[in-house]
């Protein structure tokens, strides 16, 4: 059962289990923890764990308000809430670690600490810049961004400015910084926060842990509220998140974790798959269920992904215990086209070739632009693809940049729409919204240029498209105030509207998504694996990142690389070492 009619009787336990495969059903019916679900890409892990929660509620074992489902992104939390509502299980708290901790921190701060909670920083950049300037370090935006990343890594690894230095020795530090100087900047940043009574997002977790560990009454209240826990993407938890989870649990073991060590791609942020890999040993009485039936991709895509992982070999310097046999996926879909391989002379030719192939998929084969993605290792590779698509007249959206509702043009657009809602008008909502956004630069046809101009248009076009879809769903009885109400809900949950156009995204930001057709570009050594990946663990993480990219494709997969960075440049590049035994000896030559 995947849908519940509003107002209908709650589903029975048997109805909840309808349509699940044997392994998913085992997950759903294992409602007492500890439970570890090892779920490969495309195997329906979200389906399994939401049905587990719904089954627990339908059978009377769970009280909805006492279940906490934890995810890593607002989008994933929103998707889980929607699925649970459709399964007749509203009321379950589905939140990110940070959102759950922030809610508790704000509620318990007056009781546990006293006074008003500190101000939450939306960005670290200003204070980091001030801290570096006080110490006479010159910085630019890129350095500030790298410093912020190191500060975040140190805090989720539960390291302080006094203990971090020795752990920085093996990190790729921002240019011009040593472990000692970086620790000084971190100390200065922490001092500035204290002076201004501010905390950052990592402090939210740290402060919540501190209160739960030091105040028995608060810990008891939280544990009384939440009795059952589910953690999605458990391979990505940091030491700090794991510590917070254990604070929430106390001595109980009503925990279900879900993850795939082969999709661990955020080690540089402090995430570690060790908690997932060690879970069975730490909970010998628990249950382990493996989901390996891949419902997303064709056998051709699944076969390539399996072969990529089968070629993994531990290096001499690989961390002991970090290696585990990968889950071998079993494709459930019918056969599809073979992956295609392309070698280009330079990056410009590669981008043009991809744009031509994308245009053909859209115009000749009818693949929706929103079901096509071009994925790359670094954001710097995006510019050439953007320009090539713009030259080909193909619309696109860039994923992994600023959150949709934080974009200036989106904020301005929503303000314009709110103003229009206050004025009585007989015009259809779709026309009113178009007129509002025209003042911000919206036109029915996309601009020919790429970059910021195109990105702004795509944002405004997404608001127009959302209005059109809602008006169609309401059969024309749709008003601007109704749109304002929908937008308010979306802003609260960071539920961005679906944007038309081909998706451009880094491999990291593509995690958790899927498309009918995926183009993986820039697959040459130095980019895949990235040049600064040197240790066995780092190289293996790059292989897992490519695995994530491959498994984003449902039907069509194209893999390409170029021999030179610029036209006429030396052809000193080689295709990725990961493709040595996967790609045909003679790829298509452009």
């Amino acid at each position: 059962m995947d849908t519940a009619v509003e107002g209908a009787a709650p589903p029975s336990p048997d109805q909840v289990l309808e349509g699940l495969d044997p392994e998913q059903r085992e997950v759903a019916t294992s409602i007492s923890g500890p439970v570890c679900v090892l779920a490969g890409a495309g195997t329906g892990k979200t389906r399994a764990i939401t049905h587990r929660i719904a089954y627990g509620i339908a059978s009377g074992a769970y009280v909805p308000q006492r279940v906490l489902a934890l995810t890593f992104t607002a989008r994933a939390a929103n998707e889980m809430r929607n699925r649970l509502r459709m399964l007749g299980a509203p009321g379950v708290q589905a939140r990110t670690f940070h959102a759950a901790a922030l809610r508790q921190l704000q509620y318990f701060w007056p009781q546990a600490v006293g006074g008003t909670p500190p101000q939450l920083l939306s960005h670290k950049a200003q204070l980091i810049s001030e801290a570096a300037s006080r110490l006479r370090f010159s910085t630019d935006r890129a350095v500030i961004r790298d410093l912020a990343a190191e500060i975040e890594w140190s805090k989720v690894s539960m390291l302080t400015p006094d203990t971090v230095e020795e752990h920085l020795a093996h990190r790729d530090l921002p240019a011009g910084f040593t472990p000692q100087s970086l620790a000084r900047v971190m100390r200065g940043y922490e001092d500035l926060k204290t002076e201004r009574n501010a905390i950052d997002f990592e402090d939210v977790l740290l402060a919540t842990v501190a209160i739960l560990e030091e105040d028995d009454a608060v810990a008891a209240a939280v544990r009384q509220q939440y009795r059952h826990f589910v953690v999605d993407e458990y391979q990505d938890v940091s030491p700090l998140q794991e510590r917070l989870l254990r604070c929430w649990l106390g001595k109980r073991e009503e925990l279900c974790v879900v993850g795939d060590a082969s999709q661990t791609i955020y080690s540089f942020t402090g995430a570690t798959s060790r908690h997932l890999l060690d879970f069975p040993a730490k909970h010998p009485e628990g249950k382990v269920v493996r989901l390996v039936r891949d419902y997303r991709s064709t056998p051709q895509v699944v076969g390539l992904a399996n072969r990529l992982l089968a070629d993994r070999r531990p290096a001499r310097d690989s961390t002991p215990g970090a290696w585990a046999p990968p889950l071998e996926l079993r494709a459930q879909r019918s056969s599809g086209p073979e992956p295609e391989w392309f070698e280009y002379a330079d990056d410009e030719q590669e981008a043009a070739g991809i744009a031509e192939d994308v245009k053909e998929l859209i115009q000749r084969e009818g693949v929706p632009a929103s079901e096509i993605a071009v994925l790359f290792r670094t954001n710097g590779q995006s510019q050439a693809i953007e320009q090539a698509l713009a030259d080909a007249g193909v619309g696109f959206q860039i994923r992994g940049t600023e959150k949709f509702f934080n974009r200036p043009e989106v904020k301005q657009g929503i303000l314009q729409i709110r103003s229009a809602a206050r004025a009585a008008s007989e015009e259809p909502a779709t026309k009113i919204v178009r007129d509002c956004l025209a003042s911000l630069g919206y036109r029915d046809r996309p601009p020919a240029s790429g970059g910021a101009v195109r990105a702004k248009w795509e944002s405004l076009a997404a608001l127009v498209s959302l209005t059109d879809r809602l008006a169609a769903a309401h059969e024309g009885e749709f008003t601007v105030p109704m749109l304002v109400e929908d937008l308010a809900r979306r802003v609260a949950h960071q539920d961005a509207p679906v944007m038309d156009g081909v998706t451009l995204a880094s491999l990291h930001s593509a995690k958790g998504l899927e498309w009918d057709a995926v183009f993986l570009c820039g697959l040459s050594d130095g980019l895949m694996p990235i040049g600064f990946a040197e240790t066995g663990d780092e190289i293996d993480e790059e292989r897992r990142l490519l695995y994530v990219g491959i498994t984003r494709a449902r039907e069509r997969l194209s893999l390409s690389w170029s021999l030179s960075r610029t036209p006429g440049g030396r052809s000193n590049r080689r295709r990725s070492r990961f493709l040595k035994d996967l790609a045909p000896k003679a790829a298509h030559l452009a």
Side-chain angles (χ1 to χ4, degrees):
M1 173 178 176
D2 289 311
T3 59
V5 178
E6 191 171 350
S12 69
D14 287 342
Q15 287 175 318
V16 171
L17 298 178
E18 290 175 1
L20 300 182
D21 69 30
E23 294 79 22
Q24 292 171 344
R25 181 178 287 249
E26 184 177 5
V27 172
T29 55
S30 300
I31 54 177
S32 295
V35 177
C36 177
V37 183
L38 302 177
T43 58
K45 66 179 178 64
T46 306
R47 176 179 171 83
I49 58 176
T50 51
H51 279 71
R52 178 182 186 269
I53 294 171
Y55 182 81
I57 293 170
S59 63
Y62 298 169
V63 175
Q65 292 76 15
R66 293 188 173 180
V67 179
L68 180 58
L70 295 158
T71 70
F72 281 81
T73 66
R75 181 192 61 80
N78 188 63
E79 179 185 357
M80 191 172 290
R81 279 192 294 269
N82 288 338
R83 292 201 189 197
L84 288 167
R85 186 168 60 250
M86 294 173 70
L87 287 167
V92 173
Q93 296 294 310
R95 300 180 179 273
T96 64
F97 272 90
H98 283 88
L102 180 59
R103 194 166 184 240
Q104 293 175 20
L105 188 65
Q106 291 173 332
Y107 183 82
F108 288 110
W109 186 276
Q111 170 186 340
V113 182
T116 304
Q119 174 190 357
L120 179 62
L121 293 174
S122 57
H123 300 286
K124 295 182 176 69
Q126 181 60 41
L127 293 192
I128 292 175
S129 179
E130 287 188 40
S133 179
R134 285 185 179 185
L135 295 168
R136 301 184 183 278
F137 290 113
S138 59
T139 57
D140 56 22
R141 290 181 63 183
V143 170
I144 294 296
R145 182 193 63 226
D146 292 344
L147 288 171
E150 291 305 310
I151 289 173
E152 289 162 9
W153 168 81
S154 69
K155 297 180 82 164
V156 301
S157 300
M158 294 185 294
L159 300 171
T160 69
D162 295 327
T163 62
V164 74
E165 280 188 31
E166 63 181 289
H167 299 276
L168 292 171
H170 304 293
R171 299 276 295 176
D172 185 28
L173 301 183
F177 284 86
T178 64
Q180 295 76 20
S181 61
L182 187 50
R184 290 174 62 201
V185 172
M186 290 180 180
R187 188 174 293 107
Y189 168 74
E190 294 299 326
D191 289 344
L192 281 171
K193 284 199 289 112
T194 301
E195 289 175 17
R196 297 175 190 184
N197 192 33
I199 59 175
D200 58 28
F201 281 99
E202 290 71 42
D203 291 329
V204 169
L205 302 186
L206 286 164
T208 305
V209 166
I211 289 174
L212 292 172
E213 289 183 344
E214 296 171 11
D215 193 316
D216 292 341
V218 171
V222 171
R223 291 166 191 161
Q224 175 69 20
Q225 173 64 45
Y226 296 116
R227 301 295 185 88
H228 302 274
F229 294 83
V230 175
V231 184
D232 194 11
E233 304 287 4
Y234 192 57
Q235 78 279 352
D236 288 333
V237 296
S238 67
L240 177 55
Q241 288 166 329
E242 176 69 9
R243 185 164 174 175
L244 176 58
L245 177 62
R246 295 299 162 180
C247 286
W248 283 332
L249 279 165
K251 296 181 179 180
R252 300 166 300 170
E253 293 194 320
E254 287 304 319
L255 172 65
C256 174
V257 301
V258 189
D260 179 10
S262 296
Q263 296 187 69
T264 306
I265 59 173
Y266 290 107
S267 295
F268 62 94
T269 67
T272 172
S273 61
R274 292 300 296 270
H275 301 300
L276 175 67
L277 296 175
D278 293 345
F279 193 91
K282 287 184 177 179
H283 303 276
E285 75 288 0
K287 175 176 284 190
V288 177
V289 184
R290 290 172 172 80
L291 302 183
V292 296
R293 301 175 196 245
D294 188 307
Y295 296 96
R296 175 187 300 159
S297 306
T298 63
Q300 287 76 11
V301 174
V302 170
L304 182 64
N306 282 337
R307 293 198 301 276
L308 175 68
L309 291 189
D311 286 342
R312 293 174 70 202
R313 298 291 183 273
R316 292 180 179 178
D317 62 348
S318 296
T319 301
W323 287 77
L327 295 168
E328 184 172 352
L329 301 176
R330 299 204 301 269
Q332 304 298 299
R333 292 188 55 177
S334 57
S335 185
E338 290 291 336
E340 294 188 293
W341 308 81
F342 295 93
E343 180 177 278
Y344 293 93
D346 53 64
D347 288 355
E348 192 174 299
Q349 278 196 20
E350 183 179 16
I354 290 171
E356 182 180 342
D357 290 343
V358 166
K359 189 172 184 178
E360 183 171 328
L361 280 179
I362 296 170
Q363 294 185 347
R364 295 189 183 181
E365 302 193 33
V367 179
S370 59
E371 287 296 345
I372 302 173
V374 182
L375 308 181
F376 33 78
R377 175 61 179 85
T378 68
N379 289 325
Q381 297 168 260
S382 177
Q383 182 60 47
I385 305 295
E386 291 175 43
Q387 190 59 57
L389 290 173
D391 291 344
V394 176
F396 59 86
Q397 57 167 315
I398 305 172
R399 187 173 182 86
T401 54
E402 188 175 25
K403 288 182 179 179
F404 181 81
F405 290 110
N406 290 345
R407 298 175 187 176
E409 65 272 17
V410 173
K411 289 182 177 181
Q412 293 167 4
I414 292 176
L415 285 175
Q416 297 271 42
I417 293 169
R418 285 175 179 167
S419 296
R422 291 193 288 269
S425 174
E426 298 297 324
E427 297 280 0
T430 53
K431 184 180 186 305
I432 294 173
V433 169
R434 279 175 167 80
D435 290 344
C436 286
L437 301 184
S439 64
L440 301 177
Y442 174 76
R443 300 292 182 271
D444 285 338
R445 295 180 62 84
S449 59
V453 173
R454 182 61 179 248
K456 178 179 179 180
W457 182 88
E458 295 287 357
S459 297
L460 298 176
L463 293 175
V464 172
S465 180
L466 173 64
T467 306
D468 290 346
R469 288 198 302 273
L470 291 173
H474 288 80
E475 299 181 350
E477 298 298 321
F478 185 70
T479 64
V480 177
M482 291 168 67
L483 174 61
V484 169
E485 183 179 346
D486 184 86
L487 286 170
R489 180 190 63 78
R490 289 175 178 274
V491 170
H493 294 296
Q494 287 295 308
D495 181 14
V498 176
M499 298 175 68
D500 290 331
V502 175
T503 299
L504 307 186
S506 70
L507 288 165
H508 283 99
S509 62
K511 178 91 164 19
L513 303 174
E514 58 187 75
W515 297 269
D516 286 345
V518 170
F519 291 79
L520 300 178
C521 65
L523 301 181
S524 58
D525 265 347
L527 286 172
M528 177 53 67
I530 198 71
F532 55 74
E534 298 176 349
T535 67
D537 289 346
E538 291 167 345
I539 295 294
D540 190 51
E541 180 140 334
E542 292 290 298
R543 183 185 291 274
R544 297 194 298 269
L545 187 58
L546 179 56
Y547 173 80
V548 166
I550 290 173
T551 55
R552 298 311 93 194
R554 298 191 193 103
E555 298 178 10
R556 300 171 185 272
L557 181 64
S558 172
L559 305 95
S560 63
W561 59 91
S562 65
L563 300 178
S564 173
R565 185 170 180 269
T566 57
R570 292 182 58 188
S571 301
N572 56 0
R573 282 180 174 173
R574 296 291 179 269
R575 68 184 180 185
S576 169
R577 70 193 74 174
F578 298 147
L579 307 183
K580 179 181 177 183
D581 297 322
L582 300 181
K585 291 184 178 180
H588 295 289
L589 300 180

